[in-house]
Amino acid sequence: MTGLPNEENAIQPLRRQSANLGVLGYGNVGKGVVKILLDPEGRDPSLARINLVRLGVRDIKRPRPNVSPEILTDNLESIVNHPDIDIIIEVMGGIEPARTLIIQAIENGKHIITANKTLIANHGIEIFALAAKKGVSVKFEPAVGGGIPIIEVLNSGMGANRLEGITGIVNGTCNYIFTRMAELGLSYDKALEEATELGYAEANPDADVSGRDSAEKLAILVKEGFGLNVDPQVLTDSGFVKGITSISPRDIQCAKELDYTIKLLATSAIQRDDTLLFAVRPHFVSNRHPLATVNNNLNAIYIKGDKVGELLLSGKGAGGDETASAVVADVINTIKSISSGVAAISAPSPAESTEFVTLSSEIKSKFYLRILTGDIPIAFGGIMWLLGKVNIVPEYVQQHITPDGLLEIVMITQPVSSQMLKDGLRSIRALPHCKEVANSLPLLEVS
Ligand SMILES: NC(=O)c1ccc[n+]([C@@H]2O[C@H](COP(=O)([O-])OP(=O)(O)OC[C@H]3O[C@@H](n4cnc5c(N)ncnc54)[C@H](OP(=O)(O)O)[C@@H]3O)[C@@H](O)[C@H]2O)c1
């Protein structure tokens, strides 16, 4: 990839001193972007070189204060085909028509900024390949972590390091739900209701609480951090993505008593054999770990590099203004890199990345287990015997009788692979007196 660009992949220059923008979508994020553009004083001087030329919406009749009617349109194709527009900002969401519009814009030589994690996680390869061919840049800082500039850090700040792992709390809705359950002892349903009332959760929260949203964001982080293409759907289908709906107030209480906090973590780590561990699932996070302090609707990404050590970036992972901060930063960086004549291609070309990753099921971790059995004399001994048979050694065990007369066993195991754990729990479930394996969650300890 050295030498001068040829005619096809030459970086598309700005055609004038200023950059003309077309924005697809004027919702929470689009409004935040326009607010920043209308108030450039004291921000990066490049903002003075930006003209907003067109703004695309679905419902043209809805009143839009602050927007001059001449730039508003419901014909989004006219924006991506507009000869005077240099940069397209896609903040409309969804796969279609966003994908087709972006493809058309790239074909027309326009640089792209998108906040659309679903689109980048699932169609990134196609989009980046075309962008590389056409010599335009595609930036997507706002797609992960809202206002947290994590993509820039992974792209530009970590180059000297061999990355060991990226672990994130990347879904503010789930983090808010767990925080409220821990603070007030709320049920999952009540905490979700509160998150919905406050606008943190969508009317249909399925993508958030199922872990799918976190998986898409982790796929983007893995691509940026490790240069590996991960299909989030394949991982979801393979059972590596688990949501938060199984967490009960009793699990939250057990975590507290044992000095842990439950968090939905998106984890990735390179193993010694070069396989990638990728998982989204609730964890017991040690209260001494920096991620345990990330509460409410905040996001955080924790990175480990062999030279820099541990980094934690934390901030608001959603919100119109916060996400617009990342969108406009991408606009400024696009303008600067074009002006300096440096190719602004922001993603690895498909040839540089692998098409698949191997998931390691051998990675070992301590686990929290909560098991409910009939209160009979042999119950406890039977469970311990079965665990011993598959080499699962308890490090901490507590048992008590529940108000409805069951024996509850709460345990922290010594490190065990998820396969060994699966085998052990299968045998326990088959015991005639076992009522339920109420939960099993991996632990994140301080390294
Ligand atoms: N909100 C956040 O905090 C946040 C954080 C990170 C990333 N993001 C991402 O940013 C993107 C935008 O989110 P948002 O919260 O701003 O969404 P939103 O409030 O629902 O706004 C979407 C905008 O796009 C327009 N739109 C949608 N589909 C359209 C279509 N088919 N044709 C024409 N216009 C269409 C809508 O038009 P109308 O106004 O006429 O309905 C609206 O203006 C999404 O990809 C989201 O995942 C959002």
Side-chain angles (χ1 to χ4, degrees):
M1 294 273 293
T2 55
L4 293 171
N6 61 37
E7 209 172 295
E8 199 171 40
N9 70 7
I11 187 74
Q12 298 297 312
L14 288 182
R15 279 153 267 183
R16 59 195 77 74
Q17 279 306 303
S18 57
N20 285 344
L21 288 191
V23 181
L24 310 177
Y26 188 59
N28 296 315
V29 183
K31 282 181 195 147
V33 170
V34 171
K35 256 200 276 173
I36 297 174
L37 297 181
L38 290 174
D39 177 26
E41 187 69 28
R43 308 183 202 278
D44 191 286
S46 310
L47 287 180
R49 295 176 54 201
I50 296 173
N51 305 318
L52 178 55
V53 174
R54 284 282 184 279
L55 193 48
V57 293
R58 184 170 14 213
D59 180 2
I60 193 82
K61 296 202 184 93
R62 194 183 305 162
R64 317 266 177 178
N66 299 333
V67 180
S68 96
E70 308 88 77
I71 68 165
L72 208 61
T73 177
D74 58 358
N75 180 353
L76 274 59
E77 280 182 26
S78 73
I79 302 181
V80 297
N81 290 325
H82 196 299
D84 294 335
I85 287 177
D86 308 292
I87 299 173
I88 294 287
I89 297 178
E90 186 274 302
V91 282
M92 58 193 289
I95 299 284
E96 290 295 354
R99 177 188 150 276
T100 304
L101 289 165
I102 285 179
I103 296 281
Q104 185 60 40
I106 295 173
E107 290 282 5
N108 290 337
K110 300 184 192 315
H111 303 282
I112 307 292
I113 286 130
T114 175
N116 195 330
K117 77 222 147 212
T118 307
L119 187 66
I120 291 297
N122 293 287
H123 296 275
I125 295 177
E126 173 196 19
I127 290 171
F128 297 132
L130 183 63
K133 194 168 153 211
K134 292 287 173 180
V136 299
S137 99
V138 177
K139 289 189 179 288
F140 46 91
E141 183 66 77
V144 184
I148 305 172
I150 181 64
I151 303 295
E152 188 66 17
V153 167
L154 289 174
N155 267 331
S156 315
M158 296 295 290
N161 286 266
R162 286 191 196 102
L163 274 194
E164 293 168 17
I166 306 173
T167 302
I169 295 173
V170 287
N171 187 281
T173 305
C174 295
N175 207 34
Y176 182 81
I177 289 172
F178 282 154
T179 303
R180 300 300 281 172
M181 287 174 81
E183 278 175 1
L184 301 181
L186 298 185
S187 67
Y188 166 80
D189 287 336
K190 188 75 201 134
L192 173 60
E193 199 182 303
E194 216 185 80
T196 311
E197 272 164 22
L198 288 167
Y200 298 152
E202 304 276 334
N204 177 359
D206 188 54
D208 292 330
V209 301
S210 67
R212 204 169 64 235
D213 172 84
S214 296
E216 288 176 347
K217 290 168 178 166
L218 183 58
I220 295 173
L221 293 175
V222 161
K223 175 149 183 153
E224 292 312 292
F226 300 113
L228 296 171
N229 287 319
V230 178
D231 181 341
Q233 192 55 48
V234 170
L235 293 162
T236 306
D237 294 347
S238 327
F240 290 96
V241 178
K242 203 174 156 199
I244 66 167
T245 51
S246 74
I247 306 296
S248 69
R250 176 67 184 139
D251 295 315
I252 299 269
Q253 189 190 359
C254 289
K256 255 189 189 172
E257 287 169 10
L258 295 167
D259 204 17
Y260 289 84
T261 302
I262 301 184
K263 299 283 179 199
L264 181 68
L265 296 185
T267 52
S268 62
I270 287 287
Q271 307 298 292
R272 273 198 214 111
D273 62 358
D274 270 352
T275 57
L276 179 86
L277 168 77
F278 181 117
V280 173
R281 58 186 307 179
H283 278 67
F284 259 43
V285 178
S286 162
N287 280 339
R288 284 173 296 128
H289 195 286
L291 284 170
T293 63
V294 179
N295 286 322
N296 294 310
N297 62 340
L298 289 185
N299 279 200
I301 295 113
Y302 175 79
I303 318 169
K304 255 181 162 182
D306 68 333
K307 294 298 170 195
V308 73
E310 300 171 23
L311 294 179
L312 181 75
L313 280 94
S314 153
K316 290 200 178 149
D321 287 345
E322 294 78 4
T323 310
S325 157
V327 173
V328 176
D330 272 354
V331 175
I332 292 168
N333 289 336
T334 301
I335 293 173
K336 284 182 178 167
S337 52
I338 300 167
S339 308
S340 68
V342 175
I345 311 299
S346 56
S349 73
E352 290 166 2
S353 49
T354 53
E355 290 295 330
F356 62 91
V357 295
T358 314
L359 292 146
S360 170
S361 58
E362 288 312 307
I363 178 87
K364 288 189 174 177
S365 157
K366 291 184 183 182
F367 273 82
Y368 152 82
L369 303 181
R370 188 162 66 83
I371 300 165
L372 291 164
T373 80
D375 176 25
I376 57 167
I378 58 159
F380 183 78
I383 286 173
M384 292 302 139
W385 182 79
L386 275 179
L387 289 176
K389 247 180 86 174
V390 287
N391 289 327
I392 297 176
V393 182
E395 187 174 287
Y396 168 91
V397 187
Q398 135 196 321
Q399 50 174 323
H400 86 280
I401 305 297
T402 66
D404 39 3
L406 294 174
L407 176 69
E408 183 194 63
I409 303 171
V410 173
M411 184 188 307
I412 301 283
T413 70
Q414 284 194 359
V416 57
S417 74
S418 27
Q419 191 53 52
M420 280 161 74
L421 188 79
K422 232 186 240 173
D423 295 344
L425 295 183
R426 194 181 309 118
S427 314
I428 289 172
R429 280 194 190 97
L431 286 172
H433 49 265
C434 175
K435 296 288 176 219
E436 189 190 0
V437 176
N439 231 324
S440 66
L441 303 176
L443 267 57
L444 178 68
E445 308 271 36
V446 184
S447 49

